Amino acid sequence: MKLLEIQSSVRQEGSISRSLSNEFVQAWQTLHSETQHQKRDVGLNPPAHPTELWTKANYILPEERSSEMTNVLSESENLIEELLWADRLLLGVPMYNFSVPSTFKAYLDNVVRINRTFSFDPTTYCFQGLTTGKKALIITPSAGNFVVGTPLGSLNFCDTYLRSVLGFIGIEDVIVVPVPEQFMSNKIRQREIATARAKLMKLVTEW
């Protein structure tokens, strides 16, 4: 089993997504001792944003790229190879202003690439995900209760975006564990953290 953990919170101290992810990984490795675990921290070390040269290089065949084009895509290539390596993805993605952190968006912009993680048939206008055979588990803390189906659920562009973009590249087995109400009283906060923790510990044996 190959587990890729990706953290996107800009916080280290007090980060719920980081602490719950750490608990999950420890429990997972205890039960699945053969697991190979890699961690990518885009919250503290975000990848570079695509540039004009990056975009041009992306749509040129590898053998036709200049050395400058190859260099500008090198970080993206490393991130994609890391993604393709994994069987399981553990994503710590707190909700920032109803969506994903900009650090994680930069990561996605680097890995969602034509003929690398998805293909396009110009004759049929069909897209095909190339990153198949994987499962994703997403931990999403939020300030209030934006769980889909609640009164504020229509503002949740974090879960819906993640499911859409992961599905687009071929990862359709996606589980989201929300951790809402993190700007409420400590009692409410801890209750929601405990609920999420219980779900995650159950998934250690079921995922």
Side-chain angles (χ1 to χ4, degrees), residues 18 47 66 70 74 77 82 112 135 142-143 159 166 175 199:
R18 289 181 185 276
S66 66
T70 299
S74 61
E77 289 292 338
E82 187 178 69
V112 180
K135 295 182 179 182
S142 59
D159 293 11
L166 290 175
I175 297 174
K199 292 178 182 178

Side-chain angles (χ1 to χ4, degrees), residues 8 42 47 49-50 99-110 161:
S8 60
V42 301
H49 290 283
S99 188
V100 302
S102 61
T103 55
F104 193 72
K105 180 60 165 61
Y107 171 82
L108 291 174
D109 287 343
N110 273 274
Y161 174 63

Side-chain angles (χ1 to χ4, degrees), residues 81-195:
E81 287 302 320
E82 187 178 69
L83 177 63
L84 294 175
W85 166 86
D87 301 306
R88 299 284 192 275
L89 304 177
L90 174 63
L91 310 178
V93 189
M95 181 189 290
Y96 288 178
N97 295 320
F98 314 124
S99 188
V100 302
S102 61
T103 55
F104 193 72
K105 180 60 165 61
Y107 171 82
L108 291 174
D109 287 343
N110 273 274
V111 299
V112 180
R113 283 180 49 201
I114 192 166
N115 297 327
R116 294 294 280 123
T117 54
F118 75 93
S119 62
F120 173 68
D121 186 337
T123 61
T124 62
Y125 287 87
C126 289
F127 292 92
Q128 180 68 45
L130 303 177
T131 315
T132 57
K134 305 178 188 301
K135 295 182 179 182
L137 172 58
I138 308 170
I139 302 173
T140 57
S142 59
N145 189 355
F146 297 94
V147 175
V148 175
T150 64
L152 294 178
S154 61
L155 296 176
N156 186 341
F157 302 104
C158 185
D159 293 11
T160 52
Y161 174 63
L162 288 171
R163 289 185 184 277
S164 296
V165 73
L166 290 175
F168 180 76
I169 63 173
I171 305 173
E172 298 180 349
D173 191 332
V174 179
I175 297 174
V176 177
V177 176
V179 197
E181 309 284 24
Q182 292 307 296
F183 276 17
M184 301 299 285
S185 67
N186 186 60
K187 181 179 180 181
I188 294 176
R189 287 181 62 250
Q190 294 306 320
R191 180 192 68 198
E192 296 298 341
I193 291 172
T195 298

Side-chain angles (χ1 to χ4, degrees), residues 5-17:
E5 176 188 357
I6 303 174
Q7 293 300 325
S8 60
S9 174
V10 298
R11 296 192 299 168
Q12 293 188 70
E13 297 295 328
S15 170
I16 303 303
S17 53

Side-chain angles (χ1 to χ4, degrees), residues 2 15 20 23 29 32 38-39 45 47 50 71 83 94 101 129 141 153 171 177 189:
K2 300 172 183 176
S15 170
L20 287 177
E23 291 179 28
Q29 290 180 318
H32 308 276
Q38 289 190 31
K39 183 176 181 179
N45 300 291
N71 288 337
L83 177 63
I171 305 173
V177 176
R189 287 181 62 250

